[in-house]
Amino acid sequence: MIGITVDPCPMCELFAPIIETADSCWWFLGGYGIQLPAPPNAEDPSVVLKHMESQSREYANWLNDDFGYRVGKPGWFSRYANYADTNWAMYFGCNNATEIPTQTLDWLENFTSNGTDWFGDAAQWGLPTDVAFVCRNIDDALWHVFTRDPQHHMAVQQHLTLQSITFRPFVETAG
């Protein structure tokens, strides 16, 4: 895993050059949630409620919570990553579009349930090989983004440079 530290920005912006790859992943969401956007220009509470109920039903189509933790299905990332919790949250993208990678997801649930390493290098965690991405947000202040594929890493860095989004190589800290 190769890491960078990035100033706050939407997750889909971080992954713009590799969005199709991120969208093909199963995303371990753990217990983190999302904040669905409010309807534009709606002042009538019944309109707002109807809109939020509709969005919640649609969101449920892209979520699997059969295992006691949340998993975003392939297609979840491009639809909902920008609305994901960004306050002390961590997400893992798993490459395996053919079937849900239950063994890896169970491993991630166990790994994150035993305390979260908020400042360590994901390359040292011994992650299963089908974990392609780790996205960790620290206190809404910065992202740590780790990619397994060096080409994905370079594509993200080039994109961030072109968009004038500040980033630097990840350096492990004591917190």
Side-chain angles (χ1 to χ4, degrees):
M1 302 293 277
I2 309 163
I4 57 174
T5 300
V6 185
D7 285 353
C9 69
M11 269 205 283
C12 288
E13 181 65 30
L14 287 171
F15 282 81
I18 56 170
I19 194 84
E20 289 177 9
T21 302
D23 215 31
S24 71
C25 289
W26 293 87
W27 282 87
F28 177 82
L29 310 175
Y32 302 108
I34 65 165
Q35 180 67 44
L36 294 169
N41 304 323
E43 294 182 23
D44 180 351
S46 65
V47 171
V48 172
L49 181 60
K50 188 178 282 187
H51 175 79
M52 296 307 286
E53 287 172 345
S54 173
Q55 282 192 324
S56 292
R57 281 191 302 276
E58 176 62 18
Y59 181 62
N61 292 328
W62 298 99
L63 193 67
N64 183 318
D65 59 0
D66 293 342
F67 304 102
Y69 49 81
R70 294 184 184 114
V71 178
K73 298 175 183 178
W76 175 90
F77 191 87
S78 65
R79 289 169 178 83
Y80 297 106
N82 282 349
Y83 306 111
D85 186 6
T86 58
N87 189 18
W88 296 98
M90 193 175 322
Y91 306 97
F92 298 83
C94 303
N95 276 337
N96 191 340
T98 58
E99 61 184 51
I100 189 165
T102 307
Q103 188 172 6
T104 296
L105 296 168
D106 287 346
W107 189 96
L108 291 168
E109 170 65 9
N110 185 55
F111 176 72
T112 58
S113 294
N114 290 319
T116 301
D117 183 356
W118 290 108
F119 301 99
D121 188 342
Q124 306 303 314
W125 292 348
L127 294 168
T129 58
D130 57 343
V131 175
F133 305 109
V134 177
C135 303
R136 176 174 61 194
N137 190 287
I138 308 296
D139 201 23
D140 272 336
L142 56 88
W143 283 106
H144 292 156
V145 178
F146 297 89
T147 57
R148 187 170 299 279
D149 185 320
Q151 290 179 329
H152 291 156
H153 177 74
M154 290 304 299
V156 168
Q157 282 190 323
Q158 290 169 353
H159 170 73
L160 296 174
T161 299
L162 289 171
Q163 298 301 313
S164 300
I165 298 172
T166 304
F167 71 93
R168 59 198 170 279
F170 174 80
V171 176
E172 187 169 0
T173 63

